[in-house]
Amino acid sequence: MTDRLADRAEEWRVVATDVPFRGNKTSVRTDEVEMPDGQVVGRDYQVHPGSVAVLALDDQDRVLVLSQYRHPVRHTLWEIPAGLLDVPGENPLHAAQRELYEEAHVEAEDWRVLVDVYTTPGGCDEAVRIFLARGVTDAEGERFAVSEEEATMEQARVPLSDLLRGALAGELHNNCLVVGALALHAALTSDGLDALRAADAPWPARPFEA
Protein backbone atom coordinates (compact mmCIF):
# COMPACT_ATOMS: atom_id res chain seq x y z
CA MET A 1 0.00 0.00 0.00
CA THR A 2 1.42 3.40 -0.99
CA ASP A 3 0.84 6.71 0.77
CA ARG A 4 -0.78 8.18 -2.33
CA LEU A 5 -3.41 6.41 -4.41
CA ALA A 6 -3.41 6.88 -8.17
CA ASP A 7 -5.19 5.05 -10.97
CA ARG A 8 -2.92 3.44 -13.54
CA ALA A 9 -3.37 2.88 -17.25
CA GLU A 10 -3.59 -0.81 -18.11
CA GLU A 11 -5.05 -2.80 -20.99
CA TRP A 12 -5.78 -6.52 -20.94
CA ARG A 13 -5.57 -8.38 -24.23
CA VAL A 14 -8.64 -8.24 -26.48
CA VAL A 15 -8.86 -11.38 -28.61
CA ALA A 16 -11.92 -10.31 -30.63
CA THR A 17 -14.21 -7.30 -30.92
CA ASP A 18 -17.53 -6.41 -32.53
CA VAL A 19 -19.70 -3.29 -32.79
CA PRO A 20 -23.35 -4.47 -32.84
CA PHE A 21 -24.75 -0.92 -32.65
CA ARG A 22 -23.64 2.46 -34.00
CA GLY A 23 -25.51 5.65 -33.12
CA ASN A 24 -25.06 9.28 -34.06
CA LYS A 25 -22.71 10.04 -31.16
CA THR A 26 -22.08 6.76 -29.37
CA SER A 27 -21.89 3.06 -30.13
CA VAL A 28 -21.91 -0.28 -28.32
CA ARG A 29 -18.87 -2.53 -28.50
CA THR A 30 -18.41 -6.14 -27.45
CA ASP A 31 -14.85 -7.17 -26.58
CA GLU A 32 -13.64 -10.67 -25.80
CA VAL A 33 -11.10 -9.97 -23.04
CA GLU A 34 -8.48 -12.39 -21.74
CA MET A 35 -8.39 -12.48 -17.95
CA PRO A 36 -5.13 -12.93 -15.99
CA ASP A 37 -5.93 -16.64 -15.52
CA GLY A 38 -6.32 -17.12 -19.29
CA GLN A 39 -10.13 -17.22 -19.31
CA VAL A 40 -11.77 -15.18 -22.09
CA VAL A 41 -14.99 -13.33 -21.23
CA GLY A 42 -17.26 -10.94 -23.11
CA ARG A 43 -17.58 -7.31 -22.07
CA ASP A 44 -20.26 -5.02 -23.57
CA TYR A 45 -19.83 -1.28 -23.17
CA GLN A 46 -20.84 2.04 -24.64
CA VAL A 47 -18.16 3.88 -26.62
CA HIS A 48 -18.44 7.60 -25.87
CA PRO A 49 -16.56 10.62 -27.29
CA GLY A 50 -16.15 12.25 -23.87
CA SER A 51 -17.69 15.33 -22.29
CA VAL A 52 -16.93 18.58 -20.55
CA ALA A 53 -18.87 20.35 -17.81
CA VAL A 54 -18.56 23.76 -16.19
CA LEU A 55 -19.12 24.71 -12.58
CA ALA A 56 -19.43 28.49 -12.98
CA LEU A 57 -19.27 30.86 -10.01
CA ASP A 58 -20.65 34.39 -10.20
CA ASP A 59 -19.44 37.42 -8.22
CA GLN A 60 -21.61 36.34 -5.26
CA ASP A 61 -20.08 32.82 -5.28
CA ARG A 62 -23.31 31.29 -6.51
CA VAL A 63 -23.23 28.31 -8.86
CA LEU A 64 -24.97 28.57 -12.22
CA VAL A 65 -27.32 25.62 -12.78
CA LEU A 66 -29.75 24.59 -15.50
CA SER A 67 -32.75 22.28 -15.49
CA GLN A 68 -33.17 19.84 -18.37
CA TYR A 69 -35.46 16.90 -19.11
CA ARG A 70 -33.53 13.62 -19.39
CA HIS A 71 -35.66 10.97 -21.03
CA PRO A 72 -33.65 7.83 -20.09
CA VAL A 73 -34.25 8.51 -16.37
CA ARG A 74 -37.68 10.19 -16.80
CA HIS A 75 -36.64 13.21 -14.76
CA THR A 76 -35.99 16.91 -15.20
CA LEU A 77 -32.61 17.33 -13.52
CA TRP A 78 -30.73 20.33 -12.24
CA GLU A 79 -27.31 20.27 -13.90
CA ILE A 80 -24.29 22.40 -14.62
CA PRO A 81 -23.60 23.39 -18.25
CA ALA A 82 -22.09 20.45 -20.14
CA GLY A 83 -21.70 18.96 -23.58
CA LEU A 84 -20.00 16.38 -25.77
CA LEU A 85 -16.54 16.56 -27.24
CA ASP A 86 -17.91 16.42 -30.76
CA VAL A 87 -14.58 16.68 -32.61
CA PRO A 88 -11.81 14.11 -32.02
CA GLY A 89 -8.86 15.79 -30.36
CA GLU A 90 -10.90 18.91 -29.55
CA ASN A 91 -9.43 21.14 -26.86
CA PRO A 92 -11.69 20.54 -23.83
CA LEU A 93 -11.34 24.13 -22.60
CA HIS A 94 -12.62 25.47 -25.91
CA ALA A 95 -15.52 23.01 -25.76
CA ALA A 96 -16.36 24.05 -22.20
CA GLN A 97 -16.31 27.74 -23.11
CA ARG A 98 -18.63 27.00 -26.02
CA GLU A 99 -21.08 25.06 -23.84
CA LEU A 100 -21.16 27.80 -21.21
CA TYR A 101 -21.95 30.36 -23.88
CA GLU A 102 -24.54 28.26 -25.71
CA GLU A 103 -26.42 26.94 -22.69
CA ALA A 104 -26.18 29.89 -20.27
CA HIS A 105 -25.14 32.82 -22.50
CA VAL A 106 -22.31 33.79 -20.15
CA GLU A 107 -18.52 33.82 -20.33
CA ALA A 108 -15.80 33.62 -17.69
CA GLU A 109 -12.38 35.15 -17.11
CA ASP A 110 -10.66 32.50 -14.98
CA TRP A 111 -10.68 28.79 -15.82
CA ARG A 112 -9.25 25.85 -13.87
CA VAL A 113 -9.63 22.09 -14.01
CA LEU A 114 -11.80 21.11 -11.07
CA VAL A 115 -11.87 17.32 -11.45
CA ASP A 116 -11.68 14.54 -14.08
CA VAL A 117 -13.93 11.47 -13.82
CA TYR A 118 -15.08 8.35 -15.64
CA THR A 119 -18.86 8.43 -15.26
CA THR A 120 -19.65 4.69 -15.39
CA PRO A 121 -16.42 2.77 -16.07
CA GLY A 122 -18.09 -0.62 -15.68
CA GLY A 123 -20.23 -0.11 -18.78
CA CYS A 124 -19.11 3.03 -20.62
CA ASP A 125 -15.78 4.65 -21.49
CA GLU A 126 -17.10 8.21 -21.09
CA ALA A 127 -14.55 10.57 -19.54
CA VAL A 128 -15.65 13.98 -18.25
CA ARG A 129 -13.51 16.97 -17.40
CA ILE A 130 -15.27 19.38 -15.05
CA PHE A 131 -13.94 22.93 -15.14
CA LEU A 132 -14.25 25.67 -12.57
CA ALA A 133 -15.07 29.02 -14.20
CA ARG A 134 -14.86 32.30 -12.26
CA GLY A 135 -15.38 35.92 -13.20
CA VAL A 136 -18.69 35.13 -14.90
CA THR A 137 -20.34 37.88 -16.94
CA ASP A 138 -23.20 38.01 -19.43
CA ALA A 139 -22.11 37.29 -22.99
CA GLU A 140 -22.60 39.84 -25.73
CA GLY A 141 -24.81 39.34 -28.77
CA GLU A 142 -27.90 37.22 -29.31
CA ARG A 143 -28.49 34.04 -27.38
CA PHE A 144 -27.71 30.73 -29.05
CA ALA A 145 -30.85 29.18 -30.58
CA VAL A 146 -32.02 26.14 -28.61
CA SER A 147 -34.38 23.31 -29.51
CA GLU A 148 -35.72 19.96 -28.29
CA GLU A 149 -35.02 19.37 -24.56
CA GLU A 150 -32.91 22.52 -24.31
CA ALA A 151 -35.91 24.68 -25.30
CA THR A 152 -37.49 24.13 -21.86
CA MET A 153 -34.38 24.72 -19.76
CA GLU A 154 -34.56 26.96 -16.71
CA GLN A 155 -31.56 28.75 -15.23
CA ALA A 156 -30.75 29.59 -11.61
CA ARG A 157 -27.85 30.69 -9.47
CA VAL A 158 -27.65 29.04 -6.07
CA PRO A 159 -25.22 28.89 -3.14
CA LEU A 160 -22.86 25.92 -3.06
CA SER A 161 -24.34 24.94 0.30
CA ASP A 162 -27.74 24.39 -1.34
CA LEU A 163 -26.21 21.98 -3.85
CA LEU A 164 -24.36 20.06 -1.16
CA ARG A 165 -27.51 19.78 0.94
CA GLY A 166 -29.59 18.68 -2.06
CA ALA A 167 -27.05 16.06 -3.12
CA LEU A 168 -26.76 14.54 0.35
CA ALA A 169 -30.55 14.62 0.79
CA GLY A 170 -31.05 12.64 -2.41
CA GLU A 171 -32.78 15.55 -4.16
CA LEU A 172 -30.12 16.30 -6.80
CA HIS A 173 -28.80 13.46 -8.93
CA ASN A 174 -26.88 14.75 -11.94
CA ASN A 175 -23.40 13.24 -11.92
CA CYS A 176 -21.47 16.35 -12.95
CA LEU A 177 -23.39 18.64 -10.61
CA VAL A 178 -22.89 16.39 -7.58
CA VAL A 179 -19.23 15.59 -8.30
CA GLY A 180 -18.49 19.21 -9.17
CA ALA A 181 -20.13 20.58 -6.03
CA LEU A 182 -18.35 18.11 -3.75
CA ALA A 183 -15.02 18.75 -5.51
CA LEU A 184 -15.45 22.51 -5.14
CA HIS A 185 -16.22 22.11 -1.44
CA ALA A 186 -13.11 19.93 -1.05
CA ALA A 187 -10.94 22.50 -2.83
CA LEU A 188 -12.28 25.37 -0.74
CA THR A 189 -11.59 23.51 2.51
CA SER A 190 -8.11 22.26 1.56
CA ASP A 191 -5.52 24.07 -0.60
CA GLY A 192 -7.86 26.66 -2.13
CA LEU A 193 -9.05 27.32 -5.67
CA ASP A 194 -5.76 28.79 -6.89
CA ALA A 195 -4.12 25.41 -6.25
CA LEU A 196 -6.34 23.69 -8.84
CA ARG A 197 -4.77 22.50 -12.08
CA ALA A 198 -4.42 24.88 -15.00
CA ALA A 199 -7.21 24.84 -17.58
CA ASP A 200 -4.87 23.27 -20.15
CA ALA A 201 -3.61 20.49 -17.84
CA PRO A 202 -2.98 17.17 -19.65
CA TRP A 203 -5.93 14.79 -19.83
CA PRO A 204 -4.71 11.30 -20.76
CA ALA A 205 -8.27 9.98 -21.03
CA ARG A 206 -8.96 12.35 -23.93
CA PRO A 207 -5.69 13.73 -25.37
CA PHE A 208 -6.16 17.06 -27.10
CA GLU A 209 -4.39 19.66 -29.18
CA ALA A 210 -3.31 22.93 -27.55
Side-chain angles (χ1 to χ4, degrees):
M1 183 71 176
T2 62
D3 293 334
R4 182 168 178 166
L5 294 179
D7 298 334
R8 68 178 187 274
E10 184 174 358
E11 186 171 356
W12 293 358
R13 189 168 79 95
V14 176
V15 301
T17 189
D18 184 36
V19 182
F21 170 79
R22 294 183 187 273
N24 292 329
K25 300 294 184 180
T26 67
S27 61
V28 173
R29 178 177 295 166
T30 299
D31 287 344
E32 299 295 325
V33 184
E34 184 177 343
M35 302 288 108
D37 63 1
Q39 180 185 14
V40 175
V41 298
R43 291 290 180 262
D44 302 322
Y45 60 100
Q46 181 186 20
V47 179
H48 194 285
S51 306
V52 291
V54 185
L55 195 151
L57 288 177
D58 67 10
D59 57 2
Q60 299 180 48
D61 289 333
R62 298 174 303 178
V63 180
L64 189 156
V65 293
L66 307 165
S67 67
Q68 186 168 348
Y69 174 67
R70 296 300 188 182
H71 185 70
V73 295
R74 307 306 198 269
H75 271 71
T76 295
L77 303 178
W78 283 104
E79 308 177 350
I80 56 177
L84 297 176
L85 290 168
D86 294 315
V87 181
E90 182 178 17
N91 187 303
L93 174 59
H94 298 166
Q97 291 170 332
R98 180 188 67 233
E99 293 299 332
L100 186 62
Y101 170 80
E102 291 181 356
E103 293 193 352
H105 200 61
V106 299
E107 51 192 13
E109 293 181 358
D110 185 82
W111 291 80
R112 306 292 175 102
V113 174
L114 184 56
V115 67
D116 298 327
V117 295
Y118 290 114
T119 54
T120 49
C124 179
D125 71 350
E126 181 184 15
V128 179
R129 168 158 282 188
I130 303 176
F131 289 90
L132 173 67
R134 292 182 290 175
V136 171
T137 57
D138 292 336
E140 297 181 355
E142 296 183 4
R143 291 188 63 93
F144 183 80
V146 295
S147 61
E148 301 170 356
E149 289 91 343
E150 292 184 351
T152 62
M153 287 195 306
E154 298 179 37
Q155 184 176 142
R157 299 187 183 194
V158 299
L160 174 62
S161 59
D162 286 2
L163 300 183
L164 297 173
R165 180 201 58 77
L168 296 178
E171 298 168 354
L172 299 172
H173 304 88
N174 175 262
N175 182 294
C176 290
L177 183 148
V178 172
V179 171
L182 293 172
L184 177 59
H185 176 69
L188 287 169
T189 55
S190 57
D191 296 331
L193 302 186
D194 290 336
L196 293 170
R197 286 173 291 161
D200 60 354
W203 190 17
R206 292 295 185 272
F208 59 91
E209 301 175 2

